[in-house]
Amino acid sequence: MLSPMIDLYFSPTPNGLKLKLFFEESGLPHRVIPVRLSKGEQFRPEFLAISPNNKIPALVDHAPADGGEPLAMFESGAMLLYLAQKAGRFLPAGARAHGEVMQWLFWQVGGLGPMAGQNGHFAAHAPEKVPYAIERYTKETNRLYGVLDRRLAGRDYIVGDDYSIADMACYPWIVPHRSHGQELQQFPQLARWFARIDARPATLRAYAGVEDAYAPSAQPLSAEARRALFGQAAASATSGSPCR
């Protein structure tokens, strides 16, 4: 068995699951290192040295292509691009198709993820209901679903017939569609694409035992967890102790 050459710092959020999908699909040797966000482990100095934005996922490649020192990376989109280049898979070589994958990867990172994330936060985790915020982000998530639905017309995947890192980036943000107030029946092309990826063996492995991060919880968050997850400021992000 190959020894792990990549450490993946992971928590089962949509962004974390992008990387889990890639590793399950590619078979790249890796080791998963859990990061307990509600315990504030993302603020530990040793993690901040890898991910200065104190977010997961992050990785350390102990066998980078240049043969140099271990390479640390943060930001899920950049990590997907790096790993696709390393593995030589899920990123087309042709300039046109490569550019399309980049566009949709950036679309997810800059649009679908942030909007759906705010949607989920205000719907499930805000200490009080803010109707304007819930409506605003639910509608914007709906608009973005429509953009992706139109893109998928006549295509098996976001960029033609080949599964790519664009699909891996977007899929985890569609998984919690019910928690985000969306019905896939409204988006037939998106629903077809979603079902196709949902049935892939690697997807089943990546999501085994994973719960919807945005589903309302019967157990309210503790004050400590709420501070760790939502109470960060510049000082807490550098002190390593946001829960004091």
Side-chain angles (χ1 to χ4, degrees), residues 161-204:
D161 298 326
D162 296 322
Y163 188 53
S164 75
I165 56 173
D167 301 284
M168 295 180 201
C170 291
Y171 172 84
W173 284 104
I174 305 299
V175 170
H177 55 272
R178 291 189 181 88
S179 296
H180 292 163
Q182 310 302 320
E183 294 295 337
L184 289 189
Q185 301 94 306
Q186 184 183 349
F187 307 99
Q189 309 303 327
L190 178 59
R192 174 180 50 79
W193 168 87
F194 182 82
R196 178 175 287 108
I197 298 177
D198 200 49
R200 293 176 71 94
T203 305
L204 297 175

Side-chain angles (χ1 to χ4, degrees), residues 211-229:
E211 298 180 358
D212 182 351
Y214 290 102
S217 175
Q219 182 67 33
L221 290 172
S222 68
E224 178 187 17
R226 185 169 289 281
R227 283 194 298 271
L229 291 168

Side-chain angles (χ1 to χ4, degrees), residues 31-182:
R31 174 178 64 163
V32 174
I33 301 177
V35 179
R36 296 180 298 174
L37 303 178
S38 63
K39 298 295 184 181
E41 292 179 354
Q42 68 274 31
F43 295 98
R44 290 180 174 176
E46 58 269 29
F47 182 73
L48 288 171
I50 299 166
S51 180
N53 196 35
N54 60 268
K55 302 289 185 182
I56 61 89
L59 66 78
V60 177
D61 185 354
H62 295 279
D66 63 6
E69 294 295 315
L71 175 64
M73 293 198 71
F74 69 107
E75 286 299 317
S76 58
M79 292 162 63
L80 283 175
L81 177 58
Y82 174 80
L83 292 172
Q85 292 171 331
K86 183 180 182 74
R89 299 183 64 191
F90 307 114
L91 182 62
R96 188 178 299 272
H98 184 279
E100 289 182 345
V101 169
M102 290 297 95
Q103 289 179 83
W104 288 97
L105 176 62
F106 282 42
W107 176 83
Q108 183 281 307
V109 170
L112 179 62
M115 295 300 104
Q118 292 297 323
N119 181 341
H121 174 79
F122 282 105
H125 299 310
E128 61 185 58
K129 294 299 182 183
V130 184
Y132 175 80
I134 293 171
E135 181 181 14
R136 158 82 175 111
Y137 289 114
T138 300
K139 284 185 175 179
E140 181 61 7
T141 303
N142 185 270
R143 186 189 71 80
L144 292 165
Y145 275 38
V147 171
L148 189 53
D149 186 68
R150 292 189 295 275
R151 170 65 185 181
L152 288 163
R155 295 180 173 88
D156 286 342
Y157 298 106
I158 293 174
V159 180
D161 298 326
D162 296 322
Y163 188 53
S164 75
I165 56 173
D167 301 284
M168 295 180 201
C170 291
Y171 172 84
W173 284 104
I174 305 299
V175 170
H177 55 272
R178 291 189 181 88
S179 296
H180 292 163
Q182 310 302 320

Side-chain angles (χ1 to χ4, degrees), residues 43-45 48 233-244:
F43 295 98
R44 290 180 174 176
L48 288 171
S236 63
T238 56
S239 69
S241 302
C243 298
R244 287 179 180 172

